[in-house]
Amino acid sequence: MISRTLFRQQIVPIVFGIVCLAALIALIEFLIWIGVINRFIVPYPSEIIGSFKRIIVEEDVLDRFLLTAGEALAASLMLTVVGISLGVLLHRMHLLRLATETWIAAVASAPLVLMYPLFLVIYGRSALTIIMIGFVAALPPVILKTLEGLSGTRKVLIDVGRSFNLTPSQLYWKILFPAALPNIFVGVRLGMIFALINIVGVEFLINFGGLGQLVNELAERYDLPGTYAAICFVILVSVVFFIVTERAERWLRPV
Amino acid sequence: MAASPDPSARPGDGGSASAEPILVVDDIYKQFETQDGVLVAVDHVSFDVKPGEFLSVIGPSGCGKSTLFNIMGGLLDGYGGRVSVAGETVRGPHASIGMIFQEESTFPWRSVIDNVAFPLEIAGMPKAERLEKARHFVDLVGLDGFERRYPSELSGGMRQRVSMARTLASEPKILLMDEPFAALDEQTRLLLGDKVLQIQQDLKQTTLLITHNLTEAVQLSDRILVMTYRPGKTKRIVAIDLPRPRTSEIVGSDAFGHYVAQIWNDLREEASRGMRDDESRRGGARRA
């Protein structure tokens, strides 16, 4: 039997979320029907839902979904490993931090996707180009949030570690890293968003690969319901990654 | 009542009068460079603590108590003089010294039992053994039943007890506490004082408490070292000859009030100097 607390804390929010989504879809359907929203720009949600079967069967959307998700996963793993390592390096080397932190922050806001011709020259018209652009564009937030988390560790926690005679490596793994974990995960999530935007954008631009290419092709055919349905799959990639990172964070740091 | 500037002044039942000191603080001097020039925080302070003794260091804010705490704990270097534990000079954090800090210092990502087991984990003790031992210390501070809770689910007083259990789990020869109850209300402070007394008496734990709370110092200590306001020097050492075992009920006794009044006489002068100094600095800053 489901307990009352479980029902209130877990099932009610899910049901409420689904009801809100259904209400939003119904509202958009209604606004298009009465002419407030132009149906040649935004198709009926019912048409989008109806086109799912078609794009799954005719457009290989599942293969494309897996390709985009795979590229995003590769970029995310790389940026997690490299971004956290660079954040730790900057935390340990104060001079390097002073010299580079502003530049890294500046890179975070630069539209690196426009450098795709350079990446095409280096890596060719391949998935590697897409992964590398996603990785490079998403690196700064991971570095900066890791640095912020490590620097923001309360001094008293470090003093506790020192009072127990921890080695520098133990101090990192037992205190600094767990203390910084919430910030590091914020950085990784931001990085994943940046990576996915850039990956889908480059797929769109170079007409290669997964969902970005599909969105491009459907838009060129003026298949609006199909285009929006493909975009729903891009959102699905994002949702899957968010759920995975949330679970990973809870596993590594329960509170 | 015994009150004496003699650092060796001791009550009859605190510590062991004949035993060799376990902690010796010898001629400690520490200064800091500040924007206003050199600030002498601790000025040639010397005292010793015998095994099982409870010594409190009391003084007004800014008298160098916490600097002394960090020096004794091995967290601060660049000072003159010598700190030794059982004859061994302290040159950094020392396994024989356990520290409890003023600020809340539990690890929020660890449950109560995992917080307490932390020093045992660092020492490489097998998991089953360390959890069993940690459970003993959780019981000792009266937190049985809360082992699986996280610090965010506990009150301030309970969190300080977790910190205390964690430090005790490392079985230090000397327990250093820096105003551990400063952030707590008076009732909780008195009740936690009882808990500290009980633990200290049960374990015969050598304890050094840094505090600015007179009641707390008299309630807990065998001796109280009164420090002057800047530079922090030993003003006098007062032996507290109150019967043990003690509880917070002693706070209502005449003898207790007498000690409080006596130490306050020393402390008032220093606290007033501190207040005047603080006001003149603030006034100077405003004029500037």
Side-chain angles (χ1 to χ4, degrees):
Chain A
M1 193 176 144
I2 299 169
S3 75
R4 190 167 252 218
T5 314
L6 181 75
F7 182 76
R8 232 186 250 162
Q9 290 184 349
Q10 292 190 2
I11 295 176
V12 170
I14 292 171
V15 172
F16 184 67
I18 292 169
V19 169
C20 284
L21 185 64
L24 182 67
I25 290 169
L27 178 69
I28 293 169
E29 186 96 11
F30 176 72
L31 292 175
I32 296 169
W33 187 64
I34 61 170
V36 173
I37 297 174
N38 188 335
R39 68 179 293 253
F40 296 107
I41 297 171
V42 181
Y44 282 108
S46 54
E47 284 180 10
I48 297 171
I49 293 165
S51 69
F52 274 117
K53 189 181 172 189
R54 179 167 53 82
I55 67 161
I56 289 169
V57 174
E58 295 174 14
E59 308 291 348
D60 291 332
V61 80
L62 293 179
D63 287 346
R64 291 169 186 272
F65 171 84
L66 289 175
L67 181 57
T68 299
E71 288 165 351
L73 179 66
S76 299
L77 290 176
M78 282 167 63
L79 70 92
T80 302
V81 172
V82 177
I84 293 173
S85 305
L86 288 175
V88 171
L89 185 72
L90 292 191
H91 180 249
R92 289 190 72 105
M93 299 179 70
H94 191 63
L95 180 63
L96 188 65
R97 177 184 181 168
L98 291 176
T100 58
E101 195 174 358
T102 315
W103 291 99
I104 294 168
V107 170
S109 55
L112 290 181
V113 70
L114 297 179
M115 289 174 69
Y116 78 93
L118 176 67
F119 284 81
L120 276 176
V121 171
I122 299 170
Y123 300 106
R125 192 167 169 270
S126 66
L128 190 58
T129 293
I130 296 165
I131 292 168
M132 290 309 290
I133 292 178
F135 161 65
V136 172
L139 204 50
V142 185
I143 297 172
L144 294 175
K145 293 307 279 187
T146 302
L147 188 55
E148 186 184 308
L150 293 171
S151 308
T153 303
R154 288 192 297 132
K155 187 179 173 294
V156 70
L157 299 185
I158 298 169
D159 282 345
V160 169
R162 289 179 63 206
S163 76
F164 287 125
N165 232 338
L166 264 61
T167 61
S169 153
Q170 284 175 324
L171 201 62
Y172 253 92
W173 284 109
K174 299 285 183 186
I175 294 178
L176 283 162
F177 195 69
L181 217 49
N183 272 55
I184 292 173
F185 268 95
V186 170
V188 169
R189 283 202 197 97
L190 276 173
M192 281 178 177
I193 294 167
F194 277 40
L196 191 60
I197 291 168
N198 280 276
I199 284 167
V200 175
V202 176
E203 283 180 344
F204 187 100
L205 281 171
I206 69 173
N207 203 22
F208 181 90
L211 293 169
Q213 185 193 27
L214 179 62
V215 171
N216 186 7
E217 284 176 6
L218 292 168
E220 283 186 357
R221 279 188 249 148
Y222 206 64
D223 179 356
L224 283 185
T227 304
Y228 279 87
I231 290 170
C232 287
F233 278 91
V234 175
I235 294 169
L236 187 62
V237 175
S238 177
V239 170
V240 168
F241 274 77
F242 254 77
I243 291 170
V244 169
T245 51
E246 199 179 50
R247 290 281 156 93
E249 186 178 3
R250 269 196 214 158
W251 177 65
L252 284 169
R253 195 179 149 156
V255 287
Chain B
M1 182 189 306
S4 164
D6 174 9
S8 62
R10 286 172 212 286
D13 54 352
S16 171
S18 58
E20 286 296 305
I22 189 166
L23 174 73
V24 176
V25 173
D26 184 20
D27 202 27
I28 293 296
Y29 179 86
K30 175 71 184 173
Q31 64 179 38
F32 293 102
E33 298 286 337
T34 69
Q35 285 179 333
D36 302 328
V38 173
L39 172 76
V40 178
V42 182
D43 192 8
H44 301 287
V45 170
S46 298
F47 60 89
D48 59 50
V49 187
K50 296 231 165 151
E53 190 179 16
F54 198 122
L55 179 97
S56 289
V57 176
I58 194 167
S61 296
C63 76
K65 301 188 297 286
S66 291
T67 303
L68 197 57
F69 171 80
N70 286 323
I71 288 172
M72 287 186 288
L75 298 183
L76 198 61
D77 50 19
Y79 59 88
R82 178 174 179 259
V83 176
S84 63
V85 176
E88 189 187 340
T89 302
V90 172
R91 292 195 172 84
H94 196 283
S96 297
I97 298 176
M99 301 176 81
I100 299 175
F101 296 84
Q102 181 178 357
E103 280 177 73
E104 203 279 290
S105 67
T106 53
F107 299 131
W109 58 89
R110 284 175 172 257
S111 63
V112 167
I113 193 84
D114 287 338
N115 258 289
V116 177
F118 180 76
L120 309 173
E121 184 183 322
I122 297 301
M125 188 180 280
K127 191 173 179 182
E129 198 182 329
R130 73 172 180 252
L131 289 181
E132 193 186 325
K133 195 168 176 184
R135 211 163 280 124
H136 164 72
F137 285 98
V138 170
D139 290 351
L140 191 73
V141 297
L143 286 176
D144 40 321
F146 291 91
E147 290 88 346
R148 291 283 147 214
R149 299 285 185 91
Y150 284 87
S152 59
E153 301 171 294
L154 305 177
S155 67
M158 290 163 94
R159 283 185 223 172
Q160 273 306 39
R161 277 191 274 165
V162 174
S163 301
M164 192 184 295
R166 182 179 59 193
T167 305
L168 289 172
S170 66
E171 296 185 328
K173 286 183 183 159
I174 299 155
L175 186 62
L176 289 185
M177 300 196 285
D178 183 15
E179 305 193 33
F181 313 134
L184 307 177
D185 61 80
E186 191 59 27
Q187 292 95 323
T188 311
R189 185 195 286 259
L190 280 170
L191 293 174
L192 277 184
D194 277 350
K195 187 52 86 181
V196 170
L197 269 176
Q198 184 203 326
I199 292 167
Q200 195 260 342
Q201 283 157 181
D202 288 352
L203 301 180
K204 304 211 182 323
Q205 177 74 57
T206 310
T207 309
L208 197 147
L209 172 72
I210 304 285
T211 184
H212 61 245
N213 187 300
L214 250 173
T215 316
E216 186 176 273
V218 178
Q219 181 195 353
L220 301 176
S221 312
D222 295 311
R223 287 187 300 149
I224 298 175
L225 185 152
V226 183
M227 284 183 76
T228 61
Y229 180 72
R230 282 176 200 163
K233 294 180 182 175
T234 306
K235 181 155 185 156
R236 101 153 123 168
I237 294 180
V238 182
I240 305 296
D241 199 5
L242 292 172
R244 285 187 184 273
R246 292 179 204 160
T247 66
S248 55
E249 285 174 14
I250 206 161
V251 170
S253 71
D254 288 346
F256 186 92
H258 206 69
Y259 278 117
V260 170
Q262 181 198 355
I263 297 166
W264 173 235
N265 271 340
D266 288 332
L267 213 50
R268 186 172 48 196
E269 190 186 328
E270 300 305 322
S272 304
R273 272 210 305 132
M275 195 185 279
R276 279 198 302 274
D277 185 46
D278 191 43
E279 283 168 0
S280 69
R281 270 188 292 116
R282 282 170 196 271
R286 255 201 304 275
R287 279 194 294 280

